[in-house]
C-alpha cells in the first residue's frame, strides 16, 4: 500500500469543521479549479511570489506541479508539506507547513490560501491552528514563523488571534515594486496561551523520521 512506502499519505489532521491531508489526484485537480476560480482581489497581491497572476491553464497546472514538486523534494532535513483543506468533504484551500533541520532549529514555517468564497468564516484560523498543533504537539517544535505582506489584514488577524508577535520586516519585489513583508513569530508559550481549536492527529508516528522529528 502507498502508506507503507510513503507514510505521509496516512497523515490526517481533524478539527471541528475541517480535515487536512494529502489529496487524491482528483482532489488535487479540484484544488487547481479553486485557485483558478479566484483566491483574492486581482488588484492586490497577497503572495510574495505572484503565482496567481498566471493565465488560468498555467495557474492550474502550477498548483499540481507545486504539489508534486514539494512531495518529490521532501527530505528529513528539508521539507514542505502541502495539506489540502476539506470542509464537509469539499476542497476549500491549502495549508502548508515546512521546516529545515527541525530537530535542531525546532522551528516551522507555514503558508496558506482559501478559495475566495470560503474566506471570512473562520476556516483560515482553524486550518492554521491544525498545523500549529501538528508542529507543537506532534513535532515538538518550539517556534512557528509566518509572513504577511503589508495590507493583508485577514492573514495578519489570523496570526494575531493565534498568538504570533511581529518579528521584523523584509523588503521584497512583488509585481515589480517594493513590498514590505511583516515577519511573525509564535512561541510555544504563546501557542499554549491562545490555543482554542481542538485538533486530532492520526497517522503521525510513522511520519516522524521522514519529517526529521523522530
Ligand atoms: C488569509 C486567509 C487564509 C484567512 O482565512 P479566512 O478564513 O478568511 O480567515 P478567518 O475568517 O479565520 O479570519 C479572518 C480574520 O481577519 C479579519 N479581517 C478580515 N478582513 C479584515 C480587514 N480588512 N481588516 C481587519 N480585519 C480583517 C476578520 O475579521 C477575521 O478576524 P475575526 O475572526 O477576529 O473577526 C484567507 O483570507 C486567504 O486565503 N486570503 C488570500 C490568500 C492569502 O492572503 N494567503 C496568506 C498569504 S500570507
Amino acid at each position: 500500500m502507498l502508506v507503507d512506502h510513503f507514510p505521509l499519505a496516512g497523515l490526517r489532521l481533524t478539527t471541528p469543521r475541517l480535515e487536512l491531508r494529502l489529496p487524491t489526484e482528483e482532489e488535487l485537480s479540484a484544488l487547481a479549479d479553486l485557485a483558478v476560480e479566484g483566491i483574492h482581489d486581482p488588484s492586490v497581491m497577497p503572495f510574495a511570489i505572484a503565482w496567481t497572476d498566471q493565465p488560468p491553464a498555467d495557474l492550474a497546472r502550477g498548483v499540481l506541479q507545486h504539489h508534486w514538486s514539494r512531495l518529490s523534494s521532501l527530505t528529513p532535513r528539508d521539507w514542505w508539506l502541502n495539506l489540502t483543506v476539506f470542509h464537509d468533504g469539499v476542497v476549500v484551500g491549502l495549508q502548508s507547513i515546512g521546516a529545515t533541520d527541525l530537530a535542531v532549529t525546532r522551528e516551522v514555517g507555514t503558508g496558506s490560501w482559501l478559495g475566495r468564497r470560503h474566506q471570512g468564516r473562520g476556516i483560515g484560523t482553524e486550518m492554521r491552528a491544525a498545523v500549529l498543533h501538528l508542529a507543537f504537539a506532534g513535532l515538538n517544535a518550539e517556534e512557528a514563523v509566518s509572513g504577511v505582506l503589508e495590507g493583508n489584514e485577514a492573514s495578519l488577524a489570523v496570526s494575531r488571534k493565534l498568538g504570533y508577535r511581529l518579528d521584523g520586516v523584509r523588503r521584497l519585489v512583488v509585481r515589480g515594486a517594493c513590498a514590505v513583508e511583516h515577519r511573525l513569530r509564535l512561541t510555544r508559550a504563546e501557542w499554549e496561551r491562545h490555543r482554542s481549536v481542538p485538533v486530532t492527529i492520526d497517522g503521525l508516528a510513522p511520519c516522524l523520521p521522514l519529517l526529521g522529528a523522530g
Side-chain angles (χ1 to χ4, degrees):
M1 280 169 70
L2 178 65
V3 73
D4 296 327
H5 302 300
F6 197 70
L8 291 165
L11 180 65
R12 188 178 307 259
L13 311 181
T14 313
T15 68
R17 292 186 295 170
L18 309 176
E19 180 177 73
L20 285 75
R21 58 172 170 79
L22 292 181
T24 63
E25 303 286 89
E26 284 313 312
E27 289 163 346
L28 181 59
S29 173
L31 187 71
D33 290 339
L34 194 63
V36 169
E37 232 180 80
I39 298 174
H40 57 83
D41 176 350
S43 70
V44 291
M45 174 45 68
F47 299 110
I49 296 171
W51 61 277
T52 46
D53 279 350
Q54 301 174 86
D58 297 348
L59 177 59
R61 197 176 55 255
V63 169
L64 310 183
Q65 290 189 302
H66 186 249
H67 182 80
W68 293 324
S69 136
R70 284 197 157 171
L71 284 185
S72 66
S73 62
L74 179 148
T75 68
R77 253 214 72 213
D78 192 15
W79 55 269
W80 273 97
L81 194 54
N82 280 2
L83 297 172
T84 299
V85 182
F86 299 85
H87 180 225
D88 289 336
V90 173
V91 172
V92 293
L94 178 80
Q95 175 68 61
S96 57
I97 174 169
T100 304
D101 292 319
L102 175 64
V104 181
T105 64
R106 312 273 297 275
E107 181 183 280
V108 299
T110 64
S112 61
W113 62 264
L114 282 170
R116 226 169 151 185
R117 62 195 156 94
H118 302 293
Q119 296 174 12
R121 291 192 283 143
I123 294 176
T125 306
E126 204 164 310
M127 66 200 210
R128 183 100 65 91
V131 290
L132 290 175
H133 187 87
L134 172 65
F136 289 109
L139 302 176
N140 202 22
E142 280 298 324
E143 304 205 346
V145 295
S146 187
V148 54
L149 292 185
E150 207 157 71
N152 190 346
E153 300 301 335
S155 180
L156 186 62
V158 168
S159 295
R160 283 226 159 98
K161 271 192 284 182
L162 293 169
Y164 289 76
R165 299 278 167 85
L166 291 171
D167 187 34
V169 296
R170 212 157 60 112
R171 286 160 80 84
L172 306 169
V173 180
V174 178
R175 285 181 169 168
C178 183
V180 174
E181 180 190 59
H182 292 276
R183 304 296 309 159
L184 293 147
R185 184 171 291 273
L186 176 67
T187 62
R188 171 177 283 275
E190 290 300 325
W191 167 69
E192 273 168 0
R193 227 190 312 282
H194 290 81
R195 62 198 280 204
S196 58
V197 177
V199 183
T200 307
I201 307 178
D202 290 303
L204 179 61
C207 302
L208 291 174
L210 203 48
L211 299 178

